[in-house]
Amino acid sequence: MTRHGELGTALHRWRDRITPGEAGLPAGEPGRAAGLRHEELAQLTGLSVDYLVRLEEGRATSPSVQVLTSLARALRLSDDERRHLFLLAGQSPPALGRVSDHIPPSVRRLLGRLPGTPLGVHDAAWNLITWNPLWAALLGDPAAVPGRGRNAAWLHFTGQPSRISHTVEQEARFEAALVADLRSATVHYPTDVRLRFLIGELRRVSSRFAVLWNSRITDSHDTGIRTIHHPDVGPVIVDCDTLTVPGCDLRIAAYSAAPGTDAADKLRLLDVIGTEMTGMVEPTDMGELARGSAPAAPATATATAPATNSVLDTPGHEPGHDPDPGSGPGAGSGSDSSLAAAPEPADR
């Protein structure tokens, strides 16, 4: 099927699913076919019936931005559906007003099926918006950190303390990728005031960021090795991957270790002790704990239930709306037994 045929099929499907009442029109006679008729859609959009028919049949091949905008509004399309409509029509999707912190339920389900992997989910501006307990245990818990303390670019370019160390080459690529992502975000969200303010502040306080921003450098996040210096278990050498989610501009930072390695043992241990036992684990006990044969805890230790890496499957569990910039792959996070929502920032 050609792109134009796919556009017609999508329009027909969207037209069939909406009732006249939902579109603000009279309900119509009982027993009528489901969906809007061409005449009704024409009334809502101001387009001719003939043109709508030709669009659905793939004979009208170059709808304008104005036509697509009118169709998206009349058919009550979601942001993702509107974006899909524009792409099918060969047009650039319209810019959205501000960086979204919405995490689709399907992404939550996917993350919940990755146990034993520290995961942090970031928006297009690299604000940390949700995480799992193993991410918090490995990188530190930022649940009480003010908003800007949860932004990867701010943490890195202002030299904030971090458990992660990079080689010179890794740092250069990481910086270039962060700046490229922020530049892309300004294109997609040109009216987002918080995003513009973040970039302005970074240019003011970080000469390195200013140089990279002015150079218009482009790069992407690589798959590489990171060393994370944990106060209890020592250095943890892990693979770092940055996954993108098409259609919603999310970045998922994931850390993993090959089975049977020292790092894998340490991740299993951290999955058990979480963020509660800092300073209570002797290095010689780590292997036994990771394999489930833990020695008796000191009398002063507080018993804690093992943390899980589950993610809520329910669509209603959404992060706090419109957070200030938060931390990315260079910072720690969350604290409950599912992917945790970032708390309301203190500097709103």
Side-chain angles (χ1 to χ4, degrees):
M1 181 182 291
T2 65
R3 174 168 58 81
H4 303 304
E6 291 177 357
L7 172 62
T9 299
L11 287 172
H12 195 166
R13 183 175 66 250
W14 289 328
R15 181 170 60 82
D16 280 348
R17 77 179 184 185
I18 186 171
T19 67
E22 291 171 334
L25 297 173
E29 68 276 10
R32 60 166 284 168
L36 289 175
R37 294 170 176 167
H38 287 116
E39 294 82 358
E40 292 166 331
L41 185 56
Q43 180 182 344
L44 292 168
T45 60
L47 304 173
S48 70
V49 172
D50 177 68
Y51 182 71
L52 291 172
V53 171
R54 287 190 289 119
L55 269 178
E56 289 192 7
E57 292 179 350
R59 294 186 289 116
T61 59
S62 302
S64 68
V65 170
Q66 292 78 9
V67 166
L68 295 172
T69 300
S70 181
L71 285 168
R73 184 183 304 112
L75 294 170
R76 305 292 181 89
L77 301 187
S78 68
D79 287 342
D80 287 344
E81 289 169 339
R82 182 178 66 162
R83 183 183 183 89
H84 186 56
L85 170 65
F86 274 72
L87 292 174
L88 286 177
Q91 298 279 7
S92 298
L96 300 177
R98 62 181 178 182
V99 173
S100 173
D101 62 1
H102 174 67
I103 302 175
S106 59
V107 175
R108 290 187 176 278
R109 289 192 294 271
L110 174 64
L111 298 178
R113 285 155 179 76
L114 295 173
T117 302
L119 299 166
V121 183
H122 311 78
D123 65 16
W126 277 101
N127 303 313
L128 181 70
I129 51 179
T130 194
W131 56 85
N132 67 1
L134 189 51
W135 169 274
L138 178 65
L139 296 167
D141 187 354
V145 174
R148 192 162 288 170
R150 297 190 299 272
N151 182 272
W154 183 262
L155 287 170
H156 180 81
F157 285 106
T158 59
Q160 302 301 310
S162 173
R163 293 182 181 180
I164 298 177
S165 62
H166 304 85
T167 65
V168 173
E169 180 182 356
Q170 288 170 344
E171 183 172 57
R173 291 206 61 183
F174 177 61
E175 290 177 344
L178 278 181
V179 173
D181 279 351
L182 290 178
R183 186 176 296 285
S184 177
T186 63
V187 173
H188 288 103
Y189 306 94
T191 60
D192 190 304
V193 176
R194 292 181 185 273
L195 174 61
R196 293 287 180 176
F197 185 74
L198 168 67
I199 292 169
E201 286 291 282
L202 282 170
R203 296 179 70 181
R204 182 180 65 83
V205 303
S206 171
S207 59
R208 174 63 177 162
F209 181 88
V211 167
L212 289 172
W213 185 265
N214 292 334
S215 71
R216 297 188 174 273
I217 192 170
T218 60
D219 208 335
S220 58
H221 295 276
D222 64 336
T223 297
I225 297 174
R226 302 288 188 270
T227 300
I228 301 174
H229 303 274
H230 193 276
D232 288 330
V233 302
V236 185
I237 302 174
V238 292
D239 293 322
C240 173
D241 291 280
T242 301
L243 314 176
T244 58
V245 181
C248 56
D249 290 329
L250 296 179
R251 274 80 170 164
I252 302 172
Y255 296 101
S256 62
T261 61
D262 177 66
D265 284 345
K266 290 178 177 179
L267 287 180
R268 283 195 296 272
L269 171 60
L270 290 172
D271 205 11
V272 174
I273 66 174
T275 60
E276 301 299 323
M277 296 180 64
T278 300
M280 294 182 180
V281 180
E282 293 296 329
T284 54
D285 295 334
M286 291 188 302
E288 289 77 3
L289 278 172
R291 288 183 287 274
S293 55
T300 55
T302 301
T304 57
T308 68
N309 284 317
S310 62
V311 181
L312 289 187
D313 287 342
T314 54
H317 181 71
E318 296 297 339
H321 189 67
D322 193 23
D324 271 347
S327 75
S333 19
S335 58
D336 75 28
S337 61
S338 63
L339 273 182
E344 285 296 312
D347 57 348
R348 287 177 66 89

